[in-house]
Amino acid sequence: MNITSLIHEYANKRNYRHDSKTIKNLLIDSTNSLMNQDGFNGESEYLPQAIKGCVRSYSRDKGAAIDICRGLIGYLKGKGITVEIQFPTIDISNDFERLMFIAKYLQDPRHKISDLEDRLWVSPRTIDEDLKKLRGKHADSIQVCGKVFKIDDLDRSRIFLEVFFELCAEGRCHIACDFGVAELALGL
């Protein structure tokens, strides 16, 4: 089913969360917009790949881009069109959350670095930069307990990393530092 007119309708309706210029740029007007994605011909079956490409190439707030695209999917559903798509499970615009996801994701030996771009809807450059940050080889590497967060081999210290991530996810990073979990997990 051709949904081009419904995408235009959604882009032109009033939205209280995002300004109309942002929505139109993301979906219709810019060179990297949803409507201008390679392979998208207005058919709903090609929409998931077009959305992913659109979000991936969007250079501003990817969280807003995903929110707008989720809104479009909801709008289409209300019009009787179901589009199967799985959005990233984390806020990919949050650098720290993305770094923690990558570090934890790569603890599973079945997971590959090459899968991250597709899973997180970010560019290969973003993945490369994030890996540099995790390895402590970037000017903006994060610090834990006053020391650079550095994982040379993303496979090691699995148990300690899981405890560390769990404590940080609960907002208790200071406990990880006080009891030496960070040192054991990160080899500090």
Side-chain angles (χ1 to χ4, degrees):
M1 170 178 226
N2 194 298
I3 56 172
T4 303
S5 62
L6 292 174
I7 293 171
H8 280 275
E9 196 175 289
Y10 175 75
N12 288 311
K13 78 181 199 88
R14 187 172 183 160
N15 187 306
Y16 295 100
R17 294 171 58 146
H18 304 284
D19 66 77
S20 62
K21 183 179 177 187
T22 300
I23 295 170
K24 287 179 184 175
N25 278 337
L26 182 71
L27 300 179
I28 300 168
D29 294 338
S30 73
T31 39
N32 293 322
S33 71
L34 176 71
M35 298 297 285
N36 291 321
Q37 290 297 307
D38 285 341
F40 183 63
N41 60 3
E43 298 297 319
S44 59
E45 67 223 40
Y46 300 107
L47 188 59
Q49 197 61 31
I51 287 175
K52 189 181 286 188
C54 171
V55 170
R56 187 177 280 150
S57 62
Y58 191 66
S59 60
R60 296 192 184 201
D61 182 0
K62 289 189 187 287
I66 287 174
D67 191 50
I68 290 167
C69 291
R70 277 191 172 128
L72 173 63
I73 296 298
Y75 182 76
L76 293 173
K77 187 176 184 177
K79 298 288 185 176
I81 299 169
T82 302
V83 177
E84 295 296 324
I85 186 168
Q86 186 170 349
F87 289 96
T89 56
I90 64 162
D91 177 5
I92 60 172
S93 62
N94 181 319
D95 288 353
F96 183 76
E97 191 168 342
R98 198 175 57 246
L99 289 170
M100 294 299 101
F101 175 86
I102 290 170
K104 186 160 174 75
Y105 180 79
L106 293 176
Q107 294 303 299
D108 186 327
R110 298 169 297 180
H111 295 161
K112 298 176 187 156
I113 291 172
S114 58
D115 298 334
L116 288 167
E117 177 187 342
D118 192 51
R119 186 161 175 111
L120 296 175
W121 298 15
V122 295
S123 70
R125 183 172 162 250
T126 299
I127 297 298
D128 288 342
E129 292 293 310
D130 287 348
L131 291 172
K132 285 178 187 173
K133 288 176 185 177
L134 286 171
R135 292 177 176 134
K137 297 177 180 177
H138 192 280
D140 288 333
S141 295
I142 57 176
Q143 293 192 9
V144 178
C145 303
K147 297 185 181 189
V148 173
F149 185 96
K150 180 180 178 183
I151 305 173
D152 292 319
D153 178 2
L154 292 170
D155 270 346
R156 73 179 167 84
S157 305
R158 223 170 271 228
I159 294 168
F160 295 111
L161 275 172
E162 288 185 22
V163 170
F164 175 74
F165 292 141
E166 193 63 37
L167 289 168
C168 286
E170 295 171 1
R172 301 185 304 163
C173 240
H174 64 285
I175 293 174
C177 295
D178 291 346
F179 288 100
V181 174
E183 285 83 358
L184 291 168
L186 307 174
L188 300 175

